[in-house]
């Protein structure tokens, strides 16, 4: 299959690395508001760069990954839905409820798939907590404490477009609280502090916040966050029940020190960022998306799951500003998920490694909870929930990945990204192509036919022949070359000209081998951000200079990709 990646900042680069190594992904088309950044990444991965979003849809893809700036998410989700394409999108769908509901409506009307990027659902610690709650090991759950602390604040320019601390950071805690406990939030009371750098006050935001959340069965939860935790990046969740108590995120890298004489020592190398802490989870959620596209697993986190987390963030923001408790019944979008359409079925699936624990669709109706501001939450009996909790082990109905532009099985889709002879045209009217994309003149993915002008290639030895008989999987060496199937890599030895240093050492204990391509370490091994001062190198498409904005230019699809 061919996947388009829109946005090649920090998180987009990580997702592109994961997909480029996946055995089921034949090729990628990358684009960014800064074309030179997409070109550099495409050159490094052996993939194709496009000058803009229009070309991604025009050239033909089987799915889209959206890692652009938040302001572009809803528009791109709608465009992909109208094109019949499955979408993976980093949170949030939009910063406001109206934009979120509109995008979800477009996806549901088209019958396509929208998987949201809440990576904590794929973290082994959180999946273990979900299992413990679902198994009854804790007994009646009475208290949950969630913590998210960034080591250093984001750039000042990010704050005005981030949506604020509740929507940008704590939204992860709100999502995983629902997922781990299987309960809905009934009401919230939140507060914030802006005593840190002046840039937070200038943006109308806070640098530290806390929320008390009452769940629909009476369980009490607290969620705190700060942008200024100098000790390191700290994400934890404690769950206390009548029988047992557990914690997520407590290990030898947790940035916390004990004052007890016999307490554990401080971490030698504390976590520094979310990219480092949740690296395996980011990879797992993209692998899950490929399975969703192929129809082999249900959607683990659809748009309506993301909507519920946004509603909680919205309630917390209102509570902080108005200094009052806020019931979730006041926030639009809380109708039962089962009435929302085909995409609502099969959400809340278990993450890999969860031991087969699957989540039922939240019923969306609070059947209990405490009274807030003199009135009970909807369906309240005035105190404890009298109904059964949302089942954590109920069977899931598989999602359909939606209409495909053409079959994606190997026997009908021999060349990645090209339709079979009898297929309908892929995505709308044809536009200017860099070269013909029909199977005949395009023998190898990403190469022009003989009668076109060659794309500039740097001098020196080429990594390996790129003809179809020698390069079965794009980006892998031909048979017999070190690093190919059956040929071991020697640590510290360059296996072939141009081989990345990260690949020369082969798999290591700290960098698990990714599925599909032998000898390829997982996404963080040897990976560094591109040097912004380096020249963009050979261009993957011909075009006039005015088609390529100057590096550093602002555009609607750029952003630092926080969260």
């Amino acid at each position: 299959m061919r996947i388009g990646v829109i946005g090649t900042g920090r998180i987009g680069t990580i997702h592109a690395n994961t997909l480029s190594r996946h055995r089921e992904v034949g090729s990628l088309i990358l684009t960014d508001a800064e074309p030179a950044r997409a070109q550099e990444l495409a050159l490094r991965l052996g993939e194709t760069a496009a000058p803009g979003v229009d070309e991604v849809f025009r050239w033909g893809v089987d799915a889209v990954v959206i890692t652009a700036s938040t302001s572009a998410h809803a528009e791109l989700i709608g465009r992909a839905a109208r094109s019949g394409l499955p979408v993976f999108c980093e949170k949030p769908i939009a910063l406001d409820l109206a934009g979120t509901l509109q995008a979800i409506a477009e996806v549901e009307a088209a019958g396509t798939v929208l998987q949201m990027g809440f990576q904590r659902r794929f973290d082994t610690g959180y999946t273990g907590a979900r299992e413990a709650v679902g198994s009854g090991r804790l007994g009646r759950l009475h208290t949950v404490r969630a913590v998210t602390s960034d080591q250093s604040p984001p750039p000042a320019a990010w704050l005005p477009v981030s949506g604020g601390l509740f929507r940008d950071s704590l939204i992860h805690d709100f999502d995983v609280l629902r997922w781990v406990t299987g309960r809905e939030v009934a009401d919230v009371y939140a507060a914030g502090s802006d005593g840190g750098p002046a840039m937070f006050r200038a943006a109308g935001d806070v640098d530290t916040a806390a929320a008390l959340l009452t769940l629909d069965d009476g369980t009490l939860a607290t969620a705190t966050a700060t942008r200024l935790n100098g000790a390191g990046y700290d994400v934890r969740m404690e769950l206390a029940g009548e029988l047992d108590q557990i914690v997520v995120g407590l290990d030898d890298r947790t940035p916390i020190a004990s004052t007890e004489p016999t307490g554990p020592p401080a971490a030698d190398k504390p976590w520094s960022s979310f990219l480092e802490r949740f690296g395996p989870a980011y990879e797992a959620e993209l692998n899950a998306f490929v399975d969703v596209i192929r129809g082999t697993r249900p959607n683990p986190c659809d748009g309506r799951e993301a909507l519920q987390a946004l509603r909680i963030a919205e309630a917390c923001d209102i509570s902080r500003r108005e200094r009052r408790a806020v019931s979730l019944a006041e926030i639009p979008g809380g109708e039962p998920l089962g009435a929302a359409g085909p995409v609502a079925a099969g959400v809340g699936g278990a993450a890999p490694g969860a031991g087969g624990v699957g989540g039922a669709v939240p019923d969306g109706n609070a059947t209990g909870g405490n009274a807030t501001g003199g009135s009970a939450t909807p369906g309240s009996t005035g105190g404890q929930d009298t109904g059964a909790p949302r089942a954590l082990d109920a069977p899931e109905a598989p999602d359909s990945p939606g209409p495909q532009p053409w079959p994606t099985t190997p026997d009908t889709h021999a060349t990645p990204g090209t339709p079979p002879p009898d297929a309908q045209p892929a995505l709308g009217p044809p536009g200017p192509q860099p070269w013909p994309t029909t199977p005949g003149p395009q023998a190898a993915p990403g190469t022009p036919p003989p009668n076109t002008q060659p794309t500039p290639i740097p001098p020196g030895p080429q990594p390996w022949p790129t003809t179809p008989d020698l390069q079965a999987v794009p980006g892998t060496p031909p048979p017999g070359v070190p690093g190919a199937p059956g040929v071991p890599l020697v640590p510290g030895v360059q296996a072939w000209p141009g081989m990345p240093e990260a690949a020369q050492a082969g798999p290591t204990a700290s960098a698990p081998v990714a599925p599909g391509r032998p000898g390829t370490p997982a996404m963080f091994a040897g990976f560094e951000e591109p040097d912004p001062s380096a020249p963009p190198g050979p261009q993957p498409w011909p075009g006039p200079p005015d088609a390529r904005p100057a590096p550093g230019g602002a555009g609607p699809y750029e952003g630092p990709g926080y969260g």
Side-chain angles (χ1 to χ4, degrees), residues 488-495 499-509 511 513 519-521 525-526:
L489 290 168
V490 179
V493 177
Q494 187 170 358
M499 178 184 181
E501 290 182 3
Q504 294 170 25
T508 65
V513 175
T520 305

Side-chain angles (χ1 to χ4, degrees), residues 45 205 338 379 514:
L45 298 179
D205 197 6

Side-chain angles (χ1 to χ4, degrees), residues 185-395:
V185 173
D187 54 64
V188 306
Y189 190 92
S193 168
D194 59 4
M199 64 181 184
F200 291 99
R201 293 186 291 279
D205 197 6
V206 294
D207 57 66
T208 304
L212 171 64
L213 308 100
T214 302
L215 307 190
D216 60 7
D217 65 345
T219 300
L220 298 179
T222 59
T224 65
T226 183
R227 302 284 198 184
L228 304 167
N229 192 55
Y233 180 72
D234 186 13
V235 171
R236 284 174 286 126
M237 174 180 275
E238 300 174 5
L239 298 103
E242 292 182 345
L243 301 180
D244 201 357
Q245 181 172 242
I246 58 176
V247 59
V248 177
L250 182 61
D251 58 19
D252 60 358
R253 298 191 64 182
T254 302
I256 193 168
S258 173
T259 60
E260 299 296 336
T262 59
D268 291 332
K269 188 181 179 183
W271 298 110
S272 62
S273 73
F274 62 90
L275 295 175
E276 182 186 31
R277 164 67 175 83
F278 290 109
Y282 280 117
E283 186 162 4
E285 69 177 355
L286 264 293
N287 290 335
F289 179 56
V290 173
D291 291 340
V292 171
I293 297 171
R294 297 174 61 233
T296 59
R297 71 167 292 167
N299 187 349
C301 185
D302 76 358
R304 287 192 171 265
E305 292 286 278
L307 169 64
Q308 300 313 312
L310 180 62
R311 291 179 65 239
I312 300 169
E314 182 81 8
C316 287
D317 201 43
I318 294 173
S319 175
R320 180 188 70 84
R321 287 187 281 104
E322 300 183 3
R323 296 177 177 270
R324 68 178 179 90
V326 176
S327 167
L328 266 290
E330 300 178 38
I331 310 301
E335 66 276 1
L337 300 188
V343 181
V347 300
V357 179
V361 178
D363 60 16
N365 291 319
T367 55
N370 295 338
T372 301
S375 61
T377 54
S380 174
T381 58
Q384 290 292 99
D385 180 17
T386 58
R390 188 176 76 198
L392 293 179
D393 55 356

